[in-house]
Structures are given as C-alpha cells and as structure tokens.
Amino acid sequence: MNTFTPFKWRHFQAEIILLCVRWYLRYPLSYRDLEEIMLERGFQIDHTTIYRWDQCYAPELEQCCRSHLKETNDSWRVDERYIKVKKVWMYLYRAVDSRGKYAGISLESKA
C-alpha cells in the first residue's frame, strides 16, 4: 500500500516539526526564539530549518484548520452589559457580528 507521508525524508520527527510550526504560527516567537526553545529541550535545530518547515507546512495546516473556524463577517459591534457575579458588579463585554453570533467575551470588575 502506498500512503502519502508529508514528513518522509525529514531529519526530525513529525511531532517536533508540527510543534515548531504551530508555536511559530500561534505565539509571537521568532525563528531564533524557537531555535533556543528546542535547544533547551535537547534538539539542535537551526532557525533556517524552522523557517523552511514553516514555508512548507503552514499552508497545509491553515487549509486543514480553516473548516473548523467559526464563520464570521466584517460587521462587528460590542455588546456591553452590567451584571452581578458572586455579589460583585462587573461589566460584561461581548463581540457580536451582524448576524448575532458571539465571537469573544470579557469580564471586567467595576472597581
């Protein structure tokens, strides 16, 4: 049986590659930061290697994850409420699109 393996002929395991690419895409880290993090974990990876992994695998990850994201549009408003939580009055901020779908919620103390 012939199965497609996108990590075939790579020097590092698929988990290490995906971890570096995911951290780079998710957090504000540079390639050199990731190089240092991987060195602390016992993997000697050059920052240009991580750059090549990002160029190769980031579009595929984005394509796979795109279908799981919530559909939203460009029209947004902030819904602000004043509620009581555990006997403390707080502001509740909610981001709402034009179709009424909530995108984010934030609680802040009145004080």
Side-chain angles (χ1 to χ4, degrees), residues 55-73:
Q55 297 301 307
C56 181
Y57 298 113
E60 293 182 34
L61 286 175
E62 194 269 336
Q63 185 179 12
C64 291
C65 295
R66 181 62 55 193
S67 62
H68 299 288
L69 297 176
K70 295 179 183 179
E71 290 183 23
T72 58
N73 56 23

Side-chain angles (χ1 to χ4, degrees), residues 6 10 21 50-61:
R10 296 290 182 179
V21 173
I50 298 172
Y51 167 76
R52 282 189 239 113
W53 292 343
D54 182 48
Q55 297 301 307
C56 181
Y57 298 113
E60 293 182 34
L61 286 175

Side-chain angles (χ1 to χ4, degrees), residues 11-107:
H11 182 72
F12 292 94
Q13 296 174 351
E15 292 84 16
I16 303 297
I17 295 171
L18 287 175
L19 186 67
C20 288
V21 173
R22 185 173 62 95
W23 280 353
Y24 180 75
L25 294 175
R26 174 64 179 92
Y27 303 106
L29 297 170
S30 69
Y31 296 120
R32 292 184 189 269
D33 291 338
L34 286 171
E35 177 183 5
E36 185 178 332
I37 291 170
M38 288 294 118
L39 188 60
E40 289 174 356
R41 285 162 174 71
F43 299 102
Q44 189 170 358
I45 305 172
D46 191 56
H47 62 278
T48 55
T49 303
I50 298 172
Y51 167 76
R52 282 189 239 113
W53 292 343
D54 182 48
Q55 297 301 307
C56 181
Y57 298 113
E60 293 182 34
L61 286 175
E62 194 269 336
Q63 185 179 12
C64 291
C65 295
R66 181 62 55 193
S67 62
H68 299 288
L69 297 176
K70 295 179 183 179
E71 290 183 23
T72 58
N73 56 23
D74 293 335
S75 178
W76 290 90
R77 65 182 175 85
V78 175
D79 182 28
E80 180 182 344
R81 306 261 177 170
Y82 192 55
I83 62 172
K84 193 179 237 185
V85 178
K86 294 184 180 180
K87 299 181 183 180
V88 177
W89 285 100
M90 303 183 89
Y91 287 106
L92 172 68
Y93 297 99
R94 300 181 289 185
V96 183
D97 69 358
S98 64
R99 288 179 266 160
K101 292 186 178 179
Y102 294 110
I105 297 175
S106 173
L107 276 174

